[in-house]
Amino acid sequence: MTQLVWNGLFVGSFYALVALGYSMVYGIIKLLNFAHGDLYMLGAFVGFAILGAVGGVSPSMALPLLLVVLLATMVVTGLAGVALERIAYRPLRRAPRLSLLITAVGASFALEYGMRAVAGADPQVYPVRLGGTAMEVLGARLTLQQLVLMGVAVVLMIALNLLVTRTREGRAMRAIALDPRTSALMGINVNSVISRTFFVGSALAGAAGVMAGAYYGKIDFMMGFLIGLKAFTAAVIGGIGNIPGTMLGGLLLGLLESFGTYWLGGEWRDVFAFGVLILFLTVRPTGLLGERVTERV
Amino acid sequence: MRAIPLKSLASLAVLGLLATGCGQGLLGGGDSGDQAAKKDGPILLGMLIPQSGSEAAIGPYMSNAAQLAVDEINAKGGVLGRQLELKTADDACDAQSAAAGANKLVTEEVDLSVGGYCSGATLPTLPIFGKANIPMIIPAANSQELVDQKLKHVFLINGTGSQQAMAAEKWITKQGAKSVALMHDNTSYSKDIAVRTQTLLEVPGGAEPVITEAVTPKESDYSANITNVLDKKPDFVYWTGYFQEGGLIARQLRQAGYKGSIMVGDGSVSPKLMEIAGAEAAEGVYATMTQTPDTLEGAEGWIAAYKKKYNADPGPYSNQAYDAVRLAAEAVTKAGGTDGAKVIAALEAIDGFPMFSGPLKFTPEHTLASGGFQILVVKGDKFALQDALK
């Protein structure tokens, strides 16, 4: 039982990291950024490229090196997110919501098949791997590396929450989420705040990409597709636009999958997890912690 | 815009081929002089293989090996005093090109077909050869769909899913495994092998199948599935899907503390499996796989002959293509001529013809009655032969 919980929490923390970017972007410009999962893929490949450029390292240096690579990748994917917003989304901000959605799907394909053109269709394998020997904690097998990865995820999520709730920047983000036009009248530079939101969200996805690459080892150009869907599900379950809710949604989705597999067998896992999504959308469309948004004129 | 004229050109070409095919068929009956000439002329073997497109690399491996067999047989005096001649056509691993290629071969009046690599491209050629009464010995394509139609003129000499399951069961029993976990990726190919293996293992005594677990392909984390599997305490895990997931599953099984045997299906036999799993987790992983030149037993002489002739190593399906030609020659000899019905009867009657996959006998379904698969094991960074299961 503890093993199931641990499996669920570990996978869930990846979902949560990716879902946060989804949720932030939705919260601030009401856009479902379908290319978000592909920024996770981009992060995995950027990390792969940096590690390849660094060359061989001794296993003892693997963890510190990965942390440095993680930070560098976050900057690169963050900037990619900013560019994506500038090129694909900003010109369409006043266009109907559907045009934006279609553009997002287009951006997703562009990133996926662009990466296939650059890196090839074959899966790549990370040169530095976090394996580690397992230890037994309360009946669950886990490794030190898993704990470190989860620790990194938790630190990133706490930092994000502090940024949004405690800083001027965060206040500006929340103001734009409420009403972009009034925010502009109050002297907030709406465009640059939206850019920075994309930066933060994409950097988190990139971080998750590097962590997944280093832990699981295999990366390929389609790896962002499925996790993008999962992250969207997590965000909806938790309450899209709400940051603590999204984190909770990610962890909950991980647990749902873990227990769904156990109860119903592997072939029913996705039916179970996505069935829960449908249930949430019909019974509680605002998610666990989302608030009912009043209709704006 | 440019595609349209090209396409219509292609269909015109196909029509043209069909027309000439029909024309010769209609006229051929009365032309006894032509038939007489054909009786002494060479026996024509048609071979559809990919020579362009995504699978183009495979084509030469197959046609070179087939040509090698043709030359060897001709050097020994041919078949029934007639020489063999190989005619190849490109199927581009694509249904339309394959149909056009098959029509071309029919027009050239081939007596037997010894080609077929991509199952999807081979499928539409079955009725084309069938109508022309041309027996087909298919060396590589092995989809169940090819035999599901129960066509009399179609023979497969590469192993199919049911043979792979038989090989897996044989090895699992030989290893003395007690409880077996089967894992598949829910695609028809992979699930078919897993379910067939499970059915074979369900016979009382010997190993017992304890769980058949489906995973979602293209994911990274299989810990939930692995927890499920290990809950049943198996001492043998058989994964029937592809190498990407296979590598991850092998690694995550070992990380979860699994100490028993791991075996993978032929879709997982790729050097990438070792890369993804990592050397430590991959070492000792078994695989069920059809014969490839580098895992053949006692084939050194054949490989040397191939190398001498082409100055290159034989590759995947070289051995099956070589055997297809030899089998065609054997069947024509037994039938005493190239008449389609007689050759089919001769193929059905064959028992114990020596091939790389073992002594040949066809099932009523026209697939291999036994053999076709062997057990490989990961040693260092490559798959080596563990047991030929003969």
Side-chain angles (χ1 to χ4, degrees), chain A residues 7 123 129 216 230 261 269, chain B residues 219 221 227-228 272 276:
Chain A
N7 288 346
R129 312 270 304 252
Y216 297 114
K230 296 274 173 74
T261 309
R269 187 199 66 182
Chain B
E219 289 209 324
D221 195 299
T227 305
N228 258 7
K272 280 271 176 198
I276 293 170

Side-chain angles (χ1 to χ4, degrees), chain A residues 3-4 7 10-11 123-125 129-131 134 141 215-216 218 220 226 230 258 261-262 265-267 269-270, chain B residues 186 213-214 216-221 223-225 227-228 231 243-244 248 251-252 255-257 272 275-276 278:
Chain A
Q3 184 71 57
L4 293 179
N7 288 346
F10 183 68
V11 180
Q124 306 285 342
V125 178
R129 312 270 304 252
L130 294 176
R141 293 180 69 92
Y215 183 71
Y216 297 114
K218 186 207 72 164
D220 66 88
L226 213 52
K230 296 274 173 74
S258 173
T261 309
Y262 182 70
E267 62 267 48
R269 187 199 66 182
D270 287 351
Chain B
N186 241 345
E213 177 81 4
T216 310
K218 301 274 166 207
E219 289 209 324
S220 303
D221 195 299
S223 56
N225 303 99
T227 305
N228 258 7
D231 219 34
F243 65 91
Q244 299 203 15
L248 291 171
R251 183 179 179 85
Q252 290 172 21
Q255 273 177 350
K272 280 271 176 198
E275 260 187 71
I276 293 170

Side-chain angles (χ1 to χ4, degrees), chain A residues 99-155:
Chain A
S99 316
L100 258 178
L101 198 67
I102 294 168
T103 312
V105 174
S108 164
F109 280 128
L111 281 171
E112 282 166 12
Y113 291 93
M115 186 54 78
R116 186 175 76 165
V118 173
D122 278 345
Q124 306 285 342
V125 178
Y126 257 54
V128 179
R129 312 270 304 252
L130 294 176
T133 43
M135 49 191 171
E136 199 99 6
V137 178
L138 298 170
R141 293 180 69 92
L142 47 94
T143 62
L144 186 65
Q145 279 78 357
Q146 280 182 311
L147 286 176
V148 170
L149 287 181
M150 246 181 115
V152 172
V154 169
V155 167

